[in-house]
Amino acid sequence: MIEVVTEITIQAPIEKCFDYARDIDVHTQTVWKHTRERTVSGVTSGKIGAGDTVTFQATHFGVRQKLTSRIVHYERPHIFVDQMVKGAFRSMRHEHHFRKLDEKTTYMRDTLKFEAPLGVLGWAAERLILKRYMYAFLQSRNRKLKALLER
């Protein structure tokens, strides 16, 4: 299993950061445009919450795919965790942590854990391609989220 961790400090209150991070409309605005990511079922607009599911459709590595996640842990405004229930990975868990640094500053930490399918081939893909790809994806999304929150 691979673990990718990203950290960012945002000049915005913790509640606002938490709510933007779980907003489906904000999510689709902040992901890479070339993936053409969109929601196709579950919560397709607005804020996702405890027990909710969402299915995204996107193109990664030239392959159109769907991924369905459920919010399995939710403590506003400190943490929410989405976990894949159906998709291309063997498993995927994404933890979104928020810590208030002061009234106007929030520390956000994402921890993404995933395991590719296909045995030895998946193991190699995780280490040679997917770890860097997923790190870059999260870093890009978090920078765009920060820009939205700080404007």
Side-chain angles (χ1 to χ4, degrees), residues 53-120:
T53 62
V54 59
T55 301
F56 290 102
Q57 180 176 289
T59 302
H60 295 279
F61 303 108
V63 177
R64 181 65 117 194
Q65 50 193 287
K66 290 182 182 177
L67 184 135
T68 302
S69 289
R70 176 180 315 280
I71 302 299
V72 297
H73 187 94
Y74 182 90
E75 293 178 37
R76 185 177 190 274
H78 299 287
I79 183 173
F80 71 96
V81 178
D82 56 274
Q83 190 161 310
M84 185 191 81
V85 293
K86 185 177 183 185
F89 289 91
R90 176 178 269 164
S91 66
M92 179 181 280
R93 179 180 173 91
H94 188 179
E95 300 176 3
H96 310 258
H97 296 266
F98 303 83
R99 185 168 31 109
K100 180 179 183 175
L101 299 178
D102 62 40
E103 293 305 313
K104 296 180 183 177
T105 310
T106 303
Y107 165 80
M108 184 175 83
R109 180 175 189 230
D110 278 341
T111 303
L112 179 68
K113 297 177 184 177
F114 63 91
E115 188 174 8
L118 305 176
V120 173

Side-chain angles (χ1 to χ4, degrees), residues 8-12 17 104-108 145-146 149-150:
I8 196 164
T9 300
I10 302 170
Q11 298 302 311
C17 293
K104 296 180 183 177
T105 310
T106 303
Y107 165 80
M108 184 175 83
L145 183 62
K146 175 182 173 79
L149 283 158
E150 291 182 350

